[in-house]
Amino acid sequence: NAGVTQTPKFRILKIGQSMTLQCTQDMNHNYMYWYRQDPGMGLKLIYYSVGAGITDKGEVPNGYNVSRSTTEDFPLRLELAAPSQTSVYFCASSPLTGPEAFFGQGTRLTVV
Amino acid sequence: GNSVTQMEGPVTLSEEAFLTINCTYTATGYPSLFWYVQYPGEGLQLLLKATKADDKGSNKGFEATYRKETTSFHLEKGSVQVSDSAVYFCALRSNNNDMRFGAGTRLTVKP
């Protein structure tokens, strides 16, 4: 059982480039989340989704976009990368029947 | 809005010492509360949880009690080991299903 899978694991972007961080889960979870973790800091919620076709902003949504066309996938899009978006990004999911979240291994993004 | 405040780190203890990491929260309604642990280079793993007032979550010798009257969920362990060295995050999941995390507390246990 793969759980929550994030790709890529590492990426270096130049300022102004765009990219999509992929997240997929095979547990049929309704809820999915994107967080960023800055060095020595906690996790900040970027966007979350309570089901296919539904997304909501979290604490720090500016500069990001998401979509949820299927239950399994929740990609995070950066349109114009900025150095302030250098961070580790975590995707998570949780089921309808239980409150805890299950995390992917993270994507380390550096914008130069 | 919903938020979690946890004790600033880092915390350094000797093996077999008693551990407390404080966590308080702000939320409407009745959130579920969690402690997650993050080992170097890894994602977060659920350590324990409590879903209603006065519930005690426990796992691997760690415990935390959901105290609604003080809006707290402090993490405790009676005797820490070197292998407990990690970053610990307090978190809540609110009634509208967003999950918020505290800033994390880095624990180092020395032999």
Side-chain angles (χ1 to χ4, degrees), chain A residues 14-94:
Chain A
K14 294 185 178 179
I15 294 171
Q17 286 185 321
S18 61
M19 77 164 293
T20 299
L21 282 66
Q22 301 291 345
C23 175
T24 188
Q25 52 92 7
D26 62 0
M27 298 174 283
N28 202 33
H29 287 173
N30 286 68
Y31 307 115
M32 295 188 76
Y33 309 86
W34 273 107
Y35 295 89
R36 58 176 289 172
Q37 183 180 29
D38 298 325
M41 305 289 286
L43 280 74
K44 296 291 186 184
L45 180 64
I46 305 172
Y47 272 95
Y48 69 105
S49 169
V50 300
I54 306 169
T55 62
D56 284 292
K57 294 179 180 179
E59 302 167 89
V60 291
N62 292 343
Y64 306 95
N65 281 301
V66 293
S67 60
R68 184 93 183 271
S69 56
T70 66
T71 299
E72 295 78 20
D73 300 309
F74 191 42
L76 178 71
R77 178 86 178 158
L78 283 71
E79 290 294 349
L80 289 171
S84 60
Q85 293 178 306
T86 294
S87 191
V88 179
Y89 290 83
F90 287 102
C91 180
S93 71
S94 63

Side-chain angles (χ1 to χ4, degrees), chain B:
Chain B
N2 301 325
S3 66
V4 176
T5 302
Q6 68 180 93
M7 178 174 147
E8 294 282 335
V11 174
T12 302
L13 295 173
S14 297
E15 208 164 24
E16 299 184 3
F18 184 85
L19 170 71
T20 299
I21 302 177
N22 290 339
C23 171
T24 58
Y25 67 91
T26 301
T28 54
Y30 299 90
S32 295
L33 302 175
F34 309 88
W35 278 98
Y36 281 83
V37 59
Q38 184 180 34
Y39 299 102
E42 297 185 10
L44 278 70
Q45 303 171 26
L46 179 67
L47 180 60
L48 54 83
K49 67 180 179 185
T51 57
K52 61 183 188 295
D54 299 325
D55 266 2
K56 178 185 281 189
S58 61
N59 186 27
K60 300 181 182 179
F62 291 90
E63 292 183 340
T65 301
Y66 189 144
R67 301 284 187 205
K68 190 155 181 67
E69 64 276 13
T70 54
T71 62
S72 64
F73 193 55
H74 305 320
L75 182 68
E76 296 182 337
K77 186 173 185 182
S79 176
V80 293
Q81 305 300 313
V82 172
S83 57
D84 294 327
S85 298
V87 181
Y88 292 83
F89 292 92
C90 186
L92 70 81
R93 180 173 173 179
S94 65
N95 293 348
N96 65 348
N97 294 307
D98 74 351
M99 283 196 71
R100 302 296 175 108
F101 286 78
T105 302
R106 181 176 298 280
L107 170 66
T108 301
V109 180
K110 297 190 172 179

